[in-house]
Amino acid sequence: MSTLVMGAKRLVGIIGDGPWKTPAFESLAAAVAAAITDGRLPVGARLPSERELASATGLSRTTTGRAYAQLREQEYILTRRGSGSVVQLPSVPGGRIDHLLSPAGADETEIDLTCTAPFAAPDILDAYDRALTRLGAYLPGTGYYPSGLPVLREIIADRYTRRGAPTDPDQILITSGALGGAAIAIRALLDGGARFGGARSTSRVLVESPTYPNAIATLEGAGATLVTYPLEFGPQGHHWNIDAMDQLMGQMRPRSAYLIPDFHNPTGALLPDDRRRDLAEALRRHRVVPVFDESLVELGLEGDAVPTPMSALIPDTVTVGSVSKVYWGGLRIGWMRIPRHRVDHFASSRLGLDLGAPVLEQLVTVELMENHDAIVADCRSRLRAARDQLAAQVRSWLPEWKLIVPAGGMALWAELPEARSGVLSIAARNHGLRLVAGPNFAPAGGLDRWVRLPYTVTESELEEVGPRLAAAWEEAKSMNGRGPTDRARIVA
């Protein structure tokens, strides 16, 4: 397998170019270790030689050599003769994390901040009543609709067309949530590579870091080898460096990609329209078939238009979406938009997983989509107020935390002063909070300086988050260890 080669200039762009505190080798080693822990340097990347790094930083060869020696001693890099120094993470007894995340099951005295999912839309019960009156027409049949009910597929296809990506209903496949669609897509794409053979028959799938934890488990379960692209962080928040992603694709040659350009989970970042065209061109150039997750695409909270769908910019794109983030997670209705030439293969692949989504829930979704714009507007209004309330709580009680309020999505992504989100998630339980540590969101490890804080709980619960979180943080700062050895679990 090819290895990502990190050039000296690229490494300096990530860790900075000084000035270096004395002793310089310790300062340099700390900067590299922090970049590994934060996920900015992916595990498995080969670092530049000591001589190349010395030239790029203006430090001596002796200094960079001592920095690499310290990183080896701390288990952040592994150096082998002829292979150079490769990034790794220090071992953690009992395992670091489980990316398959499940409901936390908080009791009534706890505030559950493990899940980004809204309460049911106000019209849910009425929609079920109306759907039941339609159900009788479907009972004489088998109840199996592997592609989905035609009426629902027509509605979703029309929505894509109105957004600028002309779509036929035959291109829509109804799934059990967006994650179910991603599983079908990746399995089909990897299977397609194996069937057709050649240099492109690879299991590598490009993913962002951080990313949605259940997607990590889903992709790995489909047989994917993950190629990690670390999102960059600056004064305006996280963003995509398309040139760096282009270089990564050129070196690692992934077959597919799973990307979240629309109010990214967990950072809330939005890929601007002008960079979307650059990303589309890079994907085309490297013949990477992307799967774009649009689960949060309609949750812009600043009044901006819904972003341009990537499927309008690159024809060979698979898009997945769902109603979970706007209507209710309990519906478990999602969809895929599939390129025409891949429809038959994807439909066949889907039959290996299940025989279709429940008819009643599809009919409920049809009913809700008749009032879709009003439901979305109400959801945005509630989330906007909740986002601002939680941000104010964090800034008041934890002013040392770095917080950039996202323009959309359902959670804040906060940077801690120390790499302690693992122990914070343990301490939080003593203060009536359930949290998920940052490493859950890291495909290749790291991110222990970060924590996701959903603002989908009630207003009264949000009022309690600040003081409980501050108390938990004080306790976490006095705790030993790098993070939990038990496995944190969330659902969305």
Side-chain angles (χ1 to χ4, degrees):
M1 176 186 289
S2 58
T3 300
L4 172 62
V5 178
M6 183 68 63
K9 289 184 179 179
R10 176 70 179 141
L11 178 58
V12 170
I14 292 173
I15 66 173
D17 57 0
W20 307 103
K21 295 180 180 178
T22 305
F25 80 91
E26 288 188 353
S27 181
L28 176 61
V32 175
I36 295 171
T37 300
D38 289 350
R40 289 175 286 142
L41 281 177
V43 171
R46 189 169 72 218
L47 298 182
S49 69
E50 297 169 5
R51 186 185 304 278
E52 291 169 331
L53 185 56
S55 176
T57 57
L59 298 170
S60 70
R61 168 78 180 277
T62 300
T63 298
T64 57
R66 293 185 68 186
Y68 274 25
Q70 181 166 311
L71 289 166
R72 280 192 293 273
E73 181 180 346
Q74 296 172 343
E75 298 184 353
Y76 282 104
I77 63 174
L78 177 66
T79 303
R80 291 196 177 101
R81 185 178 300 276
S83 300
S85 297
V86 178
V87 172
Q88 65 178 14
L89 282 169
S91 59
V92 174
R96 180 168 279 101
I97 211 69
D98 183 351
H99 289 296
L100 182 59
L101 306 170
S102 60
D107 63 37
E108 61 183 15
T109 66
E110 292 183 314
I111 300 173
D112 186 359
L113 296 184
T114 66
C115 182
T116 54
F119 298 106
D123 195 33
I124 284 284
L125 282 177
D126 288 342
Y128 266 94
D129 287 340
R130 296 193 300 272
L132 282 170
T133 66
R134 293 191 179 194
L135 183 61
Y138 293 86
L139 295 180
T142 65
Y144 294 128
Y145 290 88
S147 297
L149 297 184
V151 62
L152 181 56
R153 296 164 66 198
E154 289 174 4
I155 292 172
I156 294 170
D158 180 63
R159 295 190 65 82
Y160 275 109
T161 298
R162 285 189 280 125
R163 287 179 56 203
T167 304
D168 293 331
D170 287 346
Q171 292 178 257
I172 301 297
L173 188 68
I174 305 301
T175 64
S176 297
L179 191 62
I184 295 168
I186 294 300
R187 287 176 187 274
L189 290 171
L190 298 187
D191 172 62
R195 288 188 305 115
F196 293 117
R200 299 301 299 172
S201 58
T202 172
S203 65
R204 294 177 203 145
V205 177
L206 177 69
V207 296
E208 299 132 335
S209 180
T211 193
Y212 174 37
N214 282 9
I216 298 173
T218 296
L219 298 177
E220 291 177 338
T225 299
L226 302 188
V227 175
T228 302
Y229 163 71
L231 289 179
E232 299 192 2
F233 183 68
Q236 303 304 313
H238 285 78
H239 62 278
W240 290 261
N241 182 331
I242 305 302
D243 291 338
M245 188 181 284
D246 189 9
Q247 180 184 13
L248 178 62
M249 286 189 282
Q251 289 189 19
M252 301 303 292
R253 296 176 60 80
R255 175 172 181 78
S256 184
Y258 171 84
L259 303 172
I260 313 174
D262 306 304
F263 309 115
H264 174 265
N265 184 1
T267 68
L270 175 66
L271 182 63
D273 268 358
D274 57 341
R275 299 320 324 262
R276 288 170 183 255
R277 299 184 183 280
D278 295 336
L279 175 58
E281 176 56 33
L283 291 166
R284 278 195 297 264
R285 183 164 53 253
H286 295 289
R287 299 173 60 200
V288 175
V289 182
V291 178
F292 289 105
D293 190 334
E294 287 192 336
S295 297
L296 298 166
V297 69
E298 295 186 289
L299 294 184
L301 305 182
E302 301 300 337
D304 295 332
V306 175
T308 301
M310 291 300 301
S311 51
L313 303 176
I314 176 170
D316 200 13
T317 289
V318 181
T319 302
V320 299
S322 81
V323 299
S324 297
K325 303 301 185 183
V326 176
Y327 296 167
W328 184 43
L331 281 177
R332 305 309 311 133
I333 295 297
W335 56 83
M336 309 168 65
R337 181 194 182 276
I338 308 167
R340 288 183 178 86
H341 69 284
R342 296 187 183 274
V343 169
D344 289 344
H345 179 50
F346 274 51
S348 176
S349 180
R350 190 262 173 77
L351 292 175
L353 295 174
D354 63 49
L355 295 177
V359 172
L360 179 59
E361 276 62 34
Q362 293 187 66
L363 291 173
V364 172
T365 302
V366 170
E367 293 292 338
L368 290 169
M369 283 191 166
E370 292 182 359
N371 196 31
H372 180 77
D373 291 344
I375 294 174
V376 170
D378 179 69
C379 183
R380 287 172 177 165
S381 178
R382 286 186 284 109
L383 287 174
R384 187 183 307 114
R387 176 200 64 182
D388 295 345
Q389 182 182 0
L390 181 56
Q393 285 276 310
V394 174
R395 286 171 171 162
S396 174
W397 288 92
L398 294 153
E400 70 273 26
W401 288 18
K402 291 183 181 179
L403 193 66
I404 293 179
V405 178
M410 308 182 86
L412 304 178
W413 182 240
E415 184 181 10
L416 313 180
E418 304 173 37
R420 287 189 167 271
S421 73
V423 293
L424 174 62
S425 68
I426 296 174
R429 294 297 301 275
N430 297 329
H431 301 275
L433 280 179
R434 283 187 180 260
L435 300 175
V436 179
N440 281 277
F441 301 87
L447 298 179
D448 200 32
R449 292 180 67 95
W450 296 87
V451 63
R452 189 182 73 169
L453 303 173
Y455 39 83
T456 52
V457 296
T458 66
E459 182 178 350
S460 60
E461 287 178 317
L462 285 174
E463 285 295 330
E464 290 291 323
V465 169
R468 295 192 191 193
L469 198 57
W473 178 240
E474 285 302 312
E475 181 177 336
K477 288 190 292 185
S478 65
M479 293 173 64
N480 294 324
R482 302 182 59 84
T485 55
D486 61 329
R487 294 180 170 185
R489 295 172 179 267
I490 57 178
V491 66

